[in-house]
């Protein structure tokens, strides 16, 4: 019997719905070729809905996602809504409420012409960032006290031993399957002494993975080396905030935000997959946004669901399309969204 998966689809705002629709065309092709199916339910969660009806996504709404195997998410963000409110309800809400503690962000350059670094080629950029996704300064409100010149804004940078242990272990497990079996911890333990806890746990757990070589780097240096010598990286494990920053830089060295995809994972439970880019309101409804990030999210989702052949076929189709020049670029406006989806879907269909 062929596998079937329950899939929640949240297009969201701006270009989210159109890139998601395009990515689902690629999923259709993968289902036909690789003999599995999905039962899809579309959820209308968006800032636009908040603007129209002031309705918020609640923790109970998010609990409803547990009925699914995976969530394919587009983007949230609308300039008419107050900054960050709906993003926090939906994106950070899913990550925390569903305890999606792994944020898996591959940084892979598909073609030389997308690489903006002087003297570097696509083959020099192939790494994966494992970003902790539930702790740190994220998902806490903090507090603002005092008034006038006495105003103070504070939020704790909070890490727990179990929170660090599970992400570091996940990263070592991943690193042992990677080409160079190398794991780099990225932190700022010199200026932020509480991050010494990451170093200690990294070394403790590293002893269980003798086949994986390891090193540690401060985040400022990691940014520099990502630009100067990306080939030295294989797998990176890092905190929530640093992972956020590092992966936008990572996307940039692969051609831009339009190319990157992200898995928000709790192994064995419902997990969420999304492009790294946002809702890009200025391109919404024009059919010119690149669906590559969203297609990459589908590939990550299929890998997570155990459909590795389908996942690889999608990756290969994207790489092939970009290398042959049939896919013209990964920036909005390079080509019609639908046209890119068709090129990838046809290649996946075989
Ligand atoms: C990301 C985004 C989010 C984050 C925002 C929208 C809250 O930038 O997924 O990288 O900071 O994690
Ligand atoms: Mn980000």
């Amino acid at each position: 019997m062929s596998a079937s998966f329950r899939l929640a689809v949240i297009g969201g705002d701006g270009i989210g719905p159109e890139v998601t629709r395009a990515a689902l065309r690629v999923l259709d092709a993968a289902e036909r070729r690789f003999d599995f199916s999905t039962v899809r339910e579309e959820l209308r969660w968006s800032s636009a809905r908040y603007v129209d009806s002031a309705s918020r996504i609640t923790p109970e709404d998010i609990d409803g996602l547990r009925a699914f195997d995976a969530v394919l998410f587009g983007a949230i963000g609308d300039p008419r809504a107050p900054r960050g409110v709906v993003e926090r309800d939906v994106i950070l809400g899913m990550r925390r409420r569903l305890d999606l503690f792994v944020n898996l962000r591959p940084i892979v350059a598909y073609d030389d012409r997308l690489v903006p670094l002087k003297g570097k080629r696509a083959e020099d950029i192939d790494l994966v960032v494992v970003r902790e996704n539930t702790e740190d300064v994220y998902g806490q409100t903090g507090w603002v006290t005092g008034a006038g010149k006495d105003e103070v804004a504070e939020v704790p940078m909070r890490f727990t031993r179990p929170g660090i242990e599970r992400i570091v272990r996940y990263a070592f497990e991943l690193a042992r399957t990677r080409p160079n079996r190398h794991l780099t911890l990225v932190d700022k333990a010199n200026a932020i002494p509480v991050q010494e806890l990451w170093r200690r746990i990294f070394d403790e757990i590293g002893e269980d993975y003798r086949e994986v070589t390891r090193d540690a780097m401060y985040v400022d240096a990691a940014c520099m080396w990502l630009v100067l010598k990306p080939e030295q990286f294989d797998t990176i494990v890092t905190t929530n905030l640093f992972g956020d920053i590092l992966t936008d830089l990572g996307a940039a060295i692969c051609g831009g935000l339009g190319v990157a995809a992200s898995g928000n994972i709790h192994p064995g439970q419902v997990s969420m997959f999304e492009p790294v880019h946002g809702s890009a309101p200025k391109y919404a409804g024009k059919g010119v946004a690149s669906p590559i990030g969203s297609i990459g999210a589908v590939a990550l989702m299929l890998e997570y669901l155990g459909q590795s052949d389908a996942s690889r076929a999608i990756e290969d189709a994207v790489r092939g399309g970009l290398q042959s020049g049939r896919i013209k670029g990964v920036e909005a406006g390079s080509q019609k969204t639908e046209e890119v989806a068709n090129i990838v879907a046809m290649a996946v269909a075989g």
Side-chain angles (χ1 to χ4, degrees):
M1 219 181 74
S2 64
S4 177
F5 304 100
R6 294 157 301 175
L7 178 61
V9 177
I10 304 173
D13 293 303
I15 62 171
E18 52 200 282
V19 295
T20 304
R21 207 175 312 120
L24 288 173
R25 302 261 293 261
V26 174
L27 180 59
D28 290 335
E31 290 184 21
R32 281 194 294 273
R33 162 102 179 265
F34 294 96
D35 191 34
F36 66 95
S37 60
T38 57
V39 179
R40 303 171 195 172
E41 187 175 324
E42 205 173 309
L43 303 177
R44 305 198 166 278
W45 295 7
S46 65
S47 309
R49 195 178 87 168
Y50 174 82
V51 171
D52 293 341
S53 64
S55 69
R56 302 272 297 259
I57 295 303
T58 64
E60 293 68 40
D61 293 327
I62 288 173
D63 286 340
L65 296 174
R66 295 183 202 275
F68 297 90
D69 296 301
V71 181
L72 183 65
F73 177 72
I76 289 279
D78 184 316
R80 295 170 302 160
R83 188 196 349 263
V85 169
V86 189
E87 289 90 325
R88 287 195 298 270
D89 282 353
V90 176
I91 304 175
L92 302 185
M94 283 193 276
R95 290 178 185 168
R96 285 176 60 92
R97 185 86 182 170
L98 301 175
D99 198 25
L100 307 174
F101 67 92
V102 180
N103 193 324
L104 192 65
R105 298 192 156 180
I107 296 176
V108 178
Y110 287 120
D111 185 52
D112 293 346
R113 85 192 135 89
L114 297 177
V115 177
L117 307 177
K118 198 164 115 194
K120 297 298 172 193
R121 311 189 46 188
E123 65 195 37
D124 295 320
I125 307 177
D126 178 2
L127 61 132
V128 51
V129 175
V130 177
R131 166 187 175 190
E132 201 289 322
N133 214 22
T134 56
E135 300 196 325
D136 206 338
V137 292
Y138 269 75
Q140 310 177 67
T141 37
W143 52 90
V144 180
T145 53
K149 67 175 178 25
D150 294 325
E151 223 174 3
V152 176
E154 276 178 276
V155 65
M157 180 175 267
R158 185 171 189 275
F159 306 107
T160 65
R161 173 171 272 274
I164 301 171
E165 282 178 351
R166 64 183 180 173
I167 195 70
V168 166
R169 197 166 285 284
Y170 182 97
F172 272 109
E173 284 292 332
L174 177 65
R176 80 201 293 188
T177 70
R178 298 262 319 155
N180 293 328
R181 293 199 202 146
H182 183 72
L183 180 63
T184 303
L185 168 65
V186 172
D187 63 26
K188 189 67 189 170
N190 54 349
I192 308 174
V194 299
Q195 293 196 355
E196 203 57 51
L197 185 56
W198 278 82
R199 296 256 166 158
R200 273 196 275 128
I201 292 173
F202 185 64
D203 285 335
E204 284 165 26
I205 292 180
E207 289 306 300
D208 296 343
Y209 295 88
R210 294 297 181 89
E211 69 277 38
V212 177
T213 54
R214 60 180 197 265
D215 63 357
M217 212 180 264
Y218 303 132
V219 63
D220 47 352
C223 288
M224 177 185 74
W225 287 120
L226 209 49
V227 170
L228 294 181
K229 206 178 163 214
E231 65 273 21
Q232 75 177 287
F233 295 104
D234 181 57
T235 313
I236 288 176
V237 63
T238 190
T239 64
N240 201 343
L241 180 62
F242 297 159
D244 178 46
I245 298 165
L246 213 52
T247 53
D248 269 25
L249 179 58
I253 65 173
C254 298
L257 268 189
V259 78
S262 158
N264 298 264
I265 295 171
H266 187 121
Q269 296 183 21
V270 59
S271 295
M272 184 267 277
F273 300 84
E274 55 173 338
V276 174
H277 66 69
S279 60
K282 76 173 175 189
Y283 298 114
K286 301 203 167 92
V288 297
S290 171
I292 297 292
S294 190
I295 291 170
V298 167
L300 284 173
M301 177 178 84
L302 292 178
E303 177 71 39
Y304 176 73
L305 294 173
Q307 303 298 311
S308 307
D309 291 345
S311 176
R312 206 168 316 110
I314 293 174
E315 287 265 336
D316 290 347
V318 169
R319 183 178 287 105
L322 283 163
Q323 290 185 347
S324 70
R326 296 190 65 212
I327 301 176
K328 299 195 168 59
V330 296
E331 298 291 343
S334 340
Q335 208 167 359
K336 285 282 183 192
T337 311
E338 286 300 314
E339 196 180 318
V340 176
N342 286 340
I343 292 166
V344 179
M346 295 246 295
V348 168

